Amino acid sequence: MLQSLALLLERVPNERYKLVFAVALTSLLYIATIVLDKVSSRLQEYMWKAPPPLFTYQLVGQVMLATCVLLSALSLPRRPVHSNRPLPVDGQYNASIWSRYTFQWGYDVLRRARSKGSLDLLDLPVLPSGMSSARLHNRFQAAMKSDNLTLWKVIFLVHWRTFLQQYALSMLQSAAQTAPQLAMYSLLQGFELRGSAQTEDATSWWWVIALGTSMIVAAWIETQSLWIMWSQLVICIRSELIALVFATAMQKKDVKTTRKQKVESLSTPQTDSERTMFTGKRDEHEDGSTRLYGTQMSTVNLVGVDAKRVVDFIGASHLLPSSLCKLVISIAFLCNLIGWQSILAGLAVLVALTPFNLYLSMLMSKAQGQIMQARDEKMSVINEALQGIRQIKISASEQQWLAEIRWKRNRELEKQLYCFILRTALVGIWALGPVAISAVALTVHTLLHGHLSPSVAFTSIAVLAQIEGSLAIIPKLVMQMLEADVSAARIDQYLQGTRLMTYMEHGAAVSLREASISWPTAEPMDRSGGMFLHGINVTFPPGNLSIISGKTGSGKSLLLAAIVGEGERLSGAITAPGCASTAIDSSITPAGWIIPGATAFVAQVPWIENASIRDNILFGLCFEVTRYKKVLAACALTKDLGE
């Protein structure tokens, strides 16, 4: 009563929400105490007699009052709905306990989808600030700076509370999923022993209620576990990994050095020297593995394939302790049901199949690394061909490039076929194992006891089905874990790779003093060979036009790259004016178009965004009609757009 009064008097939403938990828990315990105390103490006396009216009214009144208090507490919202104009903020953390844990807070989006038939970005609420990509990336980046931790350790360090919460729910779910089997066994056993006594029929009804309740509770726990997996682990970790890979890509060296590699012959008419001329930007280690240096396709594969594999395993990782817990509980239950001899005979089949499973899993892990390597090499060659398609057409070397791409693709397909064969063998073992365990266990029980009762048979089949499901999940999780470990190692290697060193110094003008510069390389460059400029002394006058001229290959692009910080300084000093901390976006007006110290770089190879011509020209700046028309005229686009 005092808690309910305090709940009504509290005006601060967050403080009132804290009292909700206390009131709800107290009401729930009060209801349970009344039912267990009153009913259990007088069940035998009043089960088949009309109970006294006073007892009935008192019991019903107390339960109804406590239930009303419980429902009222569960229905109080945490705080008022916030809106981020023009879109509302996601209501998960604003809703009441009942609405949050029954997912009623998301019904508005579902109703909107049903009425419109589809959803676009403006129909979705804004995510909470804690799930923004910038905040997730900053938190993950801060954790990575401590003690050079591996990717797996950083992920667990950042999300350890969520992992423990999900694992606890998974273990609880494993125990809850065994309760229906126990209720079914007791119900079937009651049917077998059913006689004329009415008490036995009433007990059967209690087991029916327990069976339905346990199934509902198990399903609710599973739903909450899945929601935590998707909303707090999968989405957040994938966002963190993608942001981390792209942030690292912005700091990686744009390696220009072409390194040759010996490639084993795999049914291709090309010689090693012919193949090597097409596959630059790679290096061969002593162990024969290939590393790609800063290629765009390797970054795309890390984001599209490797990050997804890591996240997929993290999303399913809770099934591993859950399956192990379910196995322990189910085996203990079966030991009491059909005897340890039958269980031991069934487990002997599992032990016999384990070495084959482990050997195939080890081969699968190695094959996954090989196929990812082949995929990176193929995408690197395709990207290089697409970038130089004009030169390929001019030199009439289409057939050579086509043969190279086909050879890379055939090599990838050979690795993929090998993986499919291993996967088929693993699936065969997974399908054979559970069936063999069930057949052997029930056969041994029948031989030992001479009969198989319906309660034991149906319950054993249901429990063995759970064991079969757990045994089928564990090998898949192991294979997923091996794939994710390979992908995590690739991401780790990429993150720990060579990065550009900040060498720009602040100065009044752009200048180079005794500067020796080169294109970025993956390893320290030998000055006896390669492209580099040394002993450069030049100062560009501020506010004036400076032109760098020279023949092809003389180092003009290298000099510009060094000025913007994209080269590699071997010695000397390079200075440039600092830029004021002004956001370069659509808020800039034509009056403030020129920003002192700001640097813009227009590369030889244009970067075209997947947007309109106007968006590519504006590049995030405000639309100024006069300047926009001048740009169109300077690019000779006026006639094209006019037509």
Side-chain angles (χ1 to χ4, degrees), residues 285-337:
H285 298 282
E286 295 178 356
D287 59 356
S289 61
T290 302
R291 176 177 58 194
L292 298 178
Y293 290 109
T295 60
Q296 297 178 6
M297 289 302 104
S298 64
T299 305
V300 172
N301 283 338
L302 288 174
V303 172
V305 180
D306 294 300
K308 184 177 184 302
R309 283 184 174 180
V310 172
V311 170
D312 287 345
F313 170 71
I314 290 175
S317 61
H318 70 283
L319 296 176
L320 189 58
S322 173
S323 299
L324 294 176
C325 179
K326 193 182 300 183
L327 278 176
V328 172
I329 296 176
S330 299
I331 290 175
F333 184 39
L334 282 178
C335 284
N336 293 326
L337 189 64

Coordinates of all heavy atoms in Angstrom, one line a residue, residues 285-337:
H285 N 53.6 -14.4 -48.6 CA 54.4 -14.6 -47.4 C 55.1 -16.0 -47.5 O 55.0 -16.7 -48.4 CB 53.4 -14.7 -46.2 CG 52.7 -13.4 -46.0 ND1 53.2 -12.3 -45.4 CD2 51.4 -13.0 -46.3 CE1 52.4 -11.3 -45.3 NE2 51.2 -11.7 -45.9
E286 N 55.9 -16.2 -46.4 CA 56.7 -17.4 -46.4 C 55.8 -18.6 -46.3 O 56.2 -19.7 -46.8 CB 57.7 -17.4 -45.2 CG 58.7 -16.3 -45.4 CD 59.6 -16.3 -44.1 OE1 59.4 -17.1 -43.2 OE2 60.6 -15.5 -44.1
D287 N 54.6 -18.5 -45.7 CA 53.7 -19.7 -45.6 C 52.9 -19.8 -46.8 O 52.0 -20.7 -46.8 CB 52.9 -19.5 -44.3 CG 52.0 -18.3 -44.4 OD1 52.2 -17.5 -45.3 OD2 51.2 -18.1 -43.4
G288 N 53.0 -19.0 -47.8 CA 52.3 -19.2 -49.1 C 51.0 -18.4 -49.1 O 50.3 -18.4 -50.1
S289 N 50.6 -17.8 -48.0 CA 49.4 -17.0 -48.0 C 49.6 -15.7 -48.7 O 50.7 -15.1 -48.8 CB 48.9 -16.7 -46.5 OG 49.9 -16.0 -45.8
T290 N 48.5 -15.1 -49.2 CA 48.5 -13.9 -50.0 C 47.9 -12.8 -49.2 O 46.8 -13.0 -48.6 CB 47.8 -14.1 -51.3 OG1 48.5 -15.2 -52.0 CG2 47.9 -12.9 -52.2
R291 N 48.5 -11.6 -49.2 CA 47.9 -10.5 -48.6 C 47.7 -9.4 -49.6 O 48.6 -9.1 -50.4 CB 48.9 -10.0 -47.5 CG 48.4 -8.7 -46.8 CD 49.4 -8.3 -45.7 NE 50.7 -8.1 -46.2 CZ 51.8 -8.1 -45.4 NH1 51.7 -8.2 -44.1 NH2 53.0 -7.8 -46.0
L292 N 46.5 -8.8 -49.6 CA 46.2 -7.7 -50.5 C 46.4 -6.4 -49.8 O 46.0 -6.2 -48.6 CB 44.7 -7.8 -50.9 CG 44.4 -9.1 -51.7 CD1 42.9 -9.1 -52.0 CD2 45.2 -9.2 -52.9
Y293 N 47.1 -5.5 -50.4 CA 47.5 -4.2 -49.8 C 46.5 -3.1 -50.3 O 46.6 -2.6 -51.4 CB 48.9 -3.8 -50.2 CG 50.0 -4.7 -49.6 CD1 50.7 -5.5 -50.4 CD2 50.2 -4.6 -48.3 CE1 51.7 -6.3 -49.8 CE2 51.2 -5.3 -47.7 CZ 51.9 -6.2 -48.5 OH 52.9 -7.0 -47.9
G294 N 45.6 -2.7 -49.4 CA 44.8 -1.5 -49.6 C 43.9 -1.5 -50.8 O 43.6 -0.5 -51.4
T295 N 43.5 -2.7 -51.3 CA 42.7 -2.7 -52.5 C 41.3 -2.3 -52.1 O 40.8 -2.7 -51.0 CB 42.7 -4.0 -53.2 OG1 42.3 -5.0 -52.3 CG2 44.1 -4.4 -53.7
Q296 N 40.5 -1.7 -53.0 CA 39.1 -1.4 -52.7 C 38.3 -2.6 -52.5 O 37.4 -2.7 -51.6 CB 38.5 -0.5 -53.8 CG 39.2 0.8 -54.0 CD 38.7 1.6 -55.2 OE1 37.7 1.2 -55.8 NE2 39.3 2.7 -55.5
M297 N 38.5 -3.7 -53.3 CA 37.7 -4.9 -53.2 C 38.0 -5.6 -51.9 O 37.1 -6.3 -51.4 CB 38.0 -5.8 -54.4 CG 37.4 -5.2 -55.7 SD 35.6 -5.0 -55.7 CE 35.5 -3.2 -55.6
S298 N 39.2 -5.6 -51.4 CA 39.4 -6.2 -50.1 C 38.6 -5.5 -49.0 O 38.1 -6.2 -48.1 CB 40.9 -6.2 -49.8 OG 41.4 -4.8 -49.6
T299 N 38.5 -4.2 -49.1 CA 37.7 -3.5 -48.1 C 36.2 -3.9 -48.3 O 35.5 -4.1 -47.3 CB 37.9 -2.0 -48.3 OG1 39.2 -1.6 -48.2 CG2 37.1 -1.2 -47.2
V300 N 35.7 -4.0 -49.5 CA 34.3 -4.4 -49.7 C 34.1 -5.8 -49.2 O 33.1 -6.0 -48.6 CB 34.0 -4.3 -51.2 CG1 32.7 -4.9 -51.5 CG2 34.1 -2.8 -51.7
N301 N 35.0 -6.7 -49.4 CA 34.9 -8.0 -48.9 C 34.9 -8.1 -47.4 O 34.1 -8.9 -46.8 CB 36.0 -8.9 -49.4 CG 35.7 -9.4 -50.9 OD1 34.6 -9.3 -51.4 ND2 36.8 -9.7 -51.6
L302 N 35.7 -7.2 -46.7 CA 35.7 -7.2 -45.3 C 34.4 -6.7 -44.7 O 33.9 -7.3 -43.7 CB 36.8 -6.2 -44.8 CG 38.3 -6.7 -45.0 CD1 39.2 -5.6 -44.6 CD2 38.5 -8.0 -44.2
V303 N 33.8 -5.8 -45.4 CA 32.5 -5.2 -44.9 C 31.3 -6.2 -45.3 O 30.5 -6.5 -44.5 CB 32.2 -3.8 -45.5 CG1 30.8 -3.3 -45.2 CG2 33.3 -2.8 -45.0
G304 N 31.3 -6.6 -46.6 CA 30.2 -7.4 -47.0 C 30.2 -8.9 -46.6 O 29.1 -9.5 -46.5
V305 N 31.4 -9.5 -46.4 CA 31.5 -10.9 -46.2 C 32.0 -11.2 -44.8 O 31.4 -11.8 -43.9 CB 32.4 -11.6 -47.2 CG1 32.5 -13.1 -46.9 CG2 31.8 -11.4 -48.6
D306 N 33.2 -10.6 -44.4 CA 33.8 -11.0 -43.2 C 33.1 -10.4 -42.0 O 32.9 -11.1 -41.0 CB 35.3 -10.4 -43.2 CG 36.1 -11.2 -44.2 OD1 36.3 -12.4 -44.1 OD2 36.6 -10.5 -45.1
A307 N 32.7 -9.1 -42.1 CA 31.9 -8.5 -40.9 C 30.6 -9.3 -40.7 O 30.2 -9.5 -39.6 CB 31.7 -7.1 -41.2
K308 N 30.0 -9.7 -41.8 CA 28.7 -10.4 -41.7 C 28.9 -11.8 -41.1 O 28.1 -12.2 -40.2 CB 28.1 -10.6 -43.1 CG 26.7 -11.2 -43.1 CD 26.1 -11.3 -44.5 CE 24.7 -11.9 -44.4 NZ 24.6 -13.2 -43.8
R309 N 30.0 -12.4 -41.4 CA 30.3 -13.7 -40.8 C 30.5 -13.6 -39.3 O 30.0 -14.4 -38.5 CB 31.5 -14.4 -41.5 CG 31.2 -15.0 -42.8 CD 32.4 -15.7 -43.4 NE 32.1 -16.4 -44.6 CZ 33.0 -17.1 -45.3 NH1 34.2 -17.2 -44.9 NH2 32.6 -17.7 -46.4
V310 N 31.3 -12.6 -38.9 CA 31.5 -12.4 -37.5 C 30.2 -12.1 -36.7 O 29.9 -12.7 -35.7 CB 32.5 -11.2 -37.3 CG1 32.7 -10.9 -35.8 CG2 33.9 -11.6 -37.8
V311 N 29.4 -11.2 -37.3 CA 28.1 -10.8 -36.7 C 27.1 -12.0 -36.6 O 26.4 -12.2 -35.7 CB 27.5 -9.6 -37.4 CG1 26.1 -9.4 -36.9 CG2 28.4 -8.4 -37.2
D312 N 27.1 -12.8 -37.7 CA 26.2 -14.0 -37.7 C 26.6 -15.0 -36.6 O 25.7 -15.5 -36.0 CB 26.3 -14.7 -39.1 CG 25.6 -13.9 -40.2 OD1 24.8 -13.0 -39.8 OD2 25.8 -14.2 -41.4
F313 N 27.8 -15.2 -36.4 CA 28.2 -16.1 -35.3 C 27.9 -15.5 -34.0 O 27.4 -16.2 -33.1 CB 29.7 -16.4 -35.4 CG 30.2 -17.2 -34.2 CD1 29.8 -18.5 -33.9 CD2 31.0 -16.5 -33.3 CE1 30.3 -19.2 -32.8 CE2 31.5 -17.2 -32.1 CZ 31.1 -18.5 -31.9
I314 N 28.1 -14.2 -33.8 CA 27.8 -13.6 -32.5 C 26.3 -13.7 -32.2 O 25.9 -13.9 -31.1 CB 28.3 -12.1 -32.5 CG1 29.8 -12.0 -32.5 CG2 27.7 -11.3 -31.3 CD1 30.4 -10.7 -32.7
G315 N 25.5 -13.5 -33.3 CA 24.1 -13.6 -33.1 C 23.6 -15.0 -32.7 O 22.6 -15.2 -32.0
A316 N 24.4 -16.0 -33.1 CA 24.0 -17.4 -32.8 C 24.8 -18.0 -31.7 O 24.6 -19.1 -31.3 CB 24.1 -18.3 -34.1
S317 N 25.8 -17.2 -31.1 CA 26.7 -17.8 -30.1 C 26.0 -18.2 -28.9 O 26.4 -19.1 -28.2 CB 27.8 -16.8 -29.8 OG 27.2 -15.6 -29.3
H318 N 24.9 -17.5 -28.5 CA 24.1 -17.9 -27.3 C 23.6 -19.3 -27.4 O 23.2 -19.9 -26.4 CB 23.0 -16.9 -27.0 CG 21.9 -17.0 -28.0 ND1 22.0 -16.5 -29.3 CD2 20.7 -17.5 -27.9 CE1 20.8 -16.7 -29.9 NE2 20.0 -17.3 -29.1
L319 N 23.4 -19.8 -28.6 CA 22.9 -21.2 -28.8 C 23.9 -22.2 -28.3 O 23.4 -23.4 -28.0 CB 22.5 -21.4 -30.2 CG 21.4 -20.6 -30.8 CD1 21.2 -20.9 -32.3 CD2 20.1 -20.7 -30.0
L320 N 25.1 -21.9 -28.3 CA 26.1 -22.9 -27.9 C 26.0 -23.2 -26.4 O 25.8 -24.4 -26.0 CB 27.5 -22.4 -28.2 CG 28.7 -23.4 -28.0 CD1 28.4 -24.7 -28.9 CD2 30.0 -22.8 -28.4
P321 N 26.1 -22.3 -25.4 CA 25.8 -22.6 -24.0 C 24.4 -23.1 -23.8 O 24.2 -24.0 -22.9 CB 26.1 -21.3 -23.3 CG 26.0 -20.3 -24.3 CD 26.4 -20.8 -25.6
S322 N 23.5 -22.6 -24.5 CA 22.1 -23.0 -24.4 C 21.9 -24.5 -24.8 O 21.3 -25.2 -24.1 CB 21.2 -22.1 -25.2 OG 19.8 -22.6 -25.2
S323 N 22.6 -24.9 -25.9 CA 22.5 -26.3 -26.3 C 23.2 -27.2 -25.3 O 22.7 -28.3 -25.0 CB 23.0 -26.4 -27.7 OG 22.3 -25.6 -28.6
L324 N 24.3 -26.8 -24.8 CA 25.0 -27.6 -23.9 C 24.2 -27.8 -22.6 O 24.2 -28.9 -22.0 CB 26.4 -27.0 -23.6 CG 27.4 -27.0 -24.8 CD1 28.7 -26.2 -24.4 CD2 27.7 -28.4 -25.2
C325 N 23.6 -26.7 -22.1 CA 22.8 -26.8 -20.9 C 21.6 -27.6 -21.2 O 21.2 -28.5 -20.3 CB 22.4 -25.3 -20.5 SG 21.3 -25.3 -19.1
K326 N 21.0 -27.5 -22.3 CA 19.8 -28.3 -22.7 C 20.2 -29.8 -22.8 O 19.5 -30.7 -22.4 CB 19.2 -27.9 -24.0 CG 17.9 -28.4 -24.3 CD 17.4 -28.0 -25.7 CE 17.3 -26.5 -25.7 NZ 16.7 -26.0 -27.0
L327 N 21.4 -30.1 -23.3 CA 21.9 -31.5 -23.3 C 22.1 -32.1 -22.0 O 21.7 -33.2 -21.7 CB 23.2 -31.5 -24.1 CG 23.2 -31.5 -25.6 CD1 24.6 -31.5 -26.2 CD2 22.4 -32.8 -26.1
V328 N 22.7 -31.3 -21.0 CA 22.9 -31.8 -19.7 C 21.5 -32.1 -19.0 O 21.4 -33.1 -18.4 CB 23.7 -30.8 -18.9 CG1 23.8 -31.2 -17.4 CG2 25.1 -30.6 -19.5
I329 N 20.6 -31.1 -19.1 CA 19.3 -31.3 -18.4 C 18.5 -32.5 -19.1 O 17.9 -33.3 -18.4 CB 18.5 -30.0 -18.5 CG1 19.2 -28.9 -17.8 CG2 17.1 -30.2 -18.0 CD1 18.5 -27.5 -17.9
S330 N 18.6 -32.5 -20.4 CA 17.8 -33.6 -21.1 C 18.4 -35.0 -20.8 O 17.7 -36.0 -20.5 CB 17.8 -33.4 -22.6 OG 17.2 -32.2 -22.9
I331 N 19.8 -35.1 -20.7 CA 20.4 -36.4 -20.4 C 20.1 -36.8 -19.0 O 19.8 -38.0 -18.7 CB 21.9 -36.3 -20.7 CG1 22.2 -36.2 -22.2 CG2 22.6 -37.5 -20.1 CD1 23.6 -35.9 -22.5
A332 N 20.1 -35.8 -18.1 CA 19.8 -36.1 -16.7 C 18.3 -36.6 -16.6 O 18.0 -37.6 -15.8 CB 20.0 -34.9 -15.8
F333 N 17.4 -36.0 -17.3 CA 16.0 -36.4 -17.3 C 15.9 -37.8 -17.9 O 15.1 -38.6 -17.4 CB 15.2 -35.3 -18.1 CG 13.7 -35.6 -18.0 CD1 13.1 -36.1 -16.9 CD2 13.0 -35.4 -19.2 CE1 11.7 -36.3 -16.9 CE2 11.6 -35.6 -19.2 CZ 11.0 -36.1 -18.0
L334 N 16.6 -38.0 -19.0 CA 16.5 -39.4 -19.6 C 17.1 -40.4 -18.8 O 16.6 -41.6 -18.8 CB 17.1 -39.3 -21.0 CG 16.3 -38.7 -22.1 CD1 17.1 -38.7 -23.4 CD2 15.0 -39.4 -22.3
C335 N 18.1 -40.1 -18.0 CA 18.7 -41.1 -17.1 C 17.7 -41.6 -16.1 O 17.7 -42.8 -15.8 CB 19.9 -40.5 -16.4 SG 21.4 -40.4 -17.4
N336 N 16.9 -40.7 -15.6 CA 15.8 -41.1 -14.7 C 14.6 -41.8 -15.4 O 13.9 -42.5 -14.8 CB 15.3 -39.9 -13.9 CG 16.3 -39.3 -12.9 OD1 17.1 -40.1 -12.4 ND2 16.3 -38.0 -12.8
L337 N 14.5 -41.5 -16.7 CA 13.4 -42.0 -17.4 C 13.6 -43.4 -18.0 O 12.8 -44.3 -17.9 CB 13.0 -41.0 -18.5 CG 11.7 -41.3 -19.2 CD1 10.5 -41.2 -18.3 CD2 11.5 -40.3 -20.4

